[in-house]
Amino acid sequence: MYFGCEANILASSGDLDIFAEQMRRMDFVVVGLHSPVMPPSNREYHTRALINTIKNPLVDCIAHPENPNYPIDMRVVAKAAAKYEKLLEVNNNSFLVRKGGEQTFRDMLSACMDEGVRIAVASDAHIDCEVGRVEQSMELIEAAGFPKEKIVNLTMERFEEYLGERRARVQAFVDSGQIVFDGIAF
């Protein structure tokens, strides 16, 4: 069993609603922009929020970056994800609840291919019968010609390899003594 969470981005500074001490104990940390926590603003603000979040060594993946309520500069976000070796998510639930994001997903996959960014595919199920359902995401990925070797959770072995990378990254961060949030030290 793996432990993870989907945290909320609080501001363009990249602050999250979970403490670093909790994140370092997780196996996988997904973060996203969510309207109940951070009201939509503008493209620059959203892009800055994602880039600052991507810089956090305890974050693994950006959830539903295609969300039409939070327009971003996808090329800039993909460049940041490449630099910091973070994942962008293709979220199957987005096809059901966030209409209008398919072209943004295509743009994201194109930017990820150009920058060498890996992705995660998720059902983001909000009900038990949708757990593991990623058919629409996979159809889009295949149509875009996205390389399957860049999907970190395509197989259990590949996901466990990623988790090994994460553990090494988190340990290096802990050993450095850096502080992500004021008042939080290791």
Side-chain angles (χ1 to χ4, degrees), residues 58-120:
L58 303 175
V59 168
D60 295 292
C61 184
I62 299 296
H64 43 73
E66 91 307 335
N67 187 339
N69 294 326
Y70 292 96
I72 61 172
D73 185 327
M74 193 62 77
R75 292 275 165 193
V76 171
V77 170
K79 283 182 188 298
K83 179 178 180 177
Y84 292 95
E85 299 182 2
K86 300 303 172 79
L87 312 173
L88 299 182
E89 177 194 63
V90 178
N91 182 312
N92 206 74
N93 196 41
S94 290
F95 295 102
L96 304 172
V97 299
R98 284 183 283 278
K99 303 294 183 190
E102 284 188 40
Q103 184 56 51
T104 309
F105 267 140
R106 285 187 202 86
D107 295 343
M108 181 191 94
L109 291 171
S110 174
C112 287
M113 284 190 282
D114 291 346
E115 299 297 331
V117 175
R118 295 179 292 177
I119 64 169

Side-chain angles (χ1 to χ4, degrees), residues 4-23:
C5 70
E6 182 171 344
N8 297 298
I9 300 171
L10 300 174
S12 68
S13 59
D15 288 339
L16 304 174
D17 66 348
I18 183 171
F19 290 114
E21 183 65 23
Q22 295 165 314
M23 286 193 296

Side-chain angles (χ1 to χ4, degrees), residues 118 156-167:
R118 295 179 292 177
M156 190 60 149
E157 294 78 19
R158 194 172 296 158
F159 184 63
E160 288 178 342
E161 284 174 24
Y162 175 80
L163 294 179
E165 291 174 30
R166 181 193 201 281
R167 282 188 286 278

Side-chain angles (χ1 to χ4, degrees), residues 137-156:
S137 293
M138 291 307 295
E139 286 174 17
L140 183 74
I141 289 166
E142 288 173 17
F146 190 83
K148 288 190 176 180
E149 63 271 8
K150 293 283 188 180
I151 304 172
V152 298
N153 60 339
L154 187 66
T155 66
M156 190 60 149

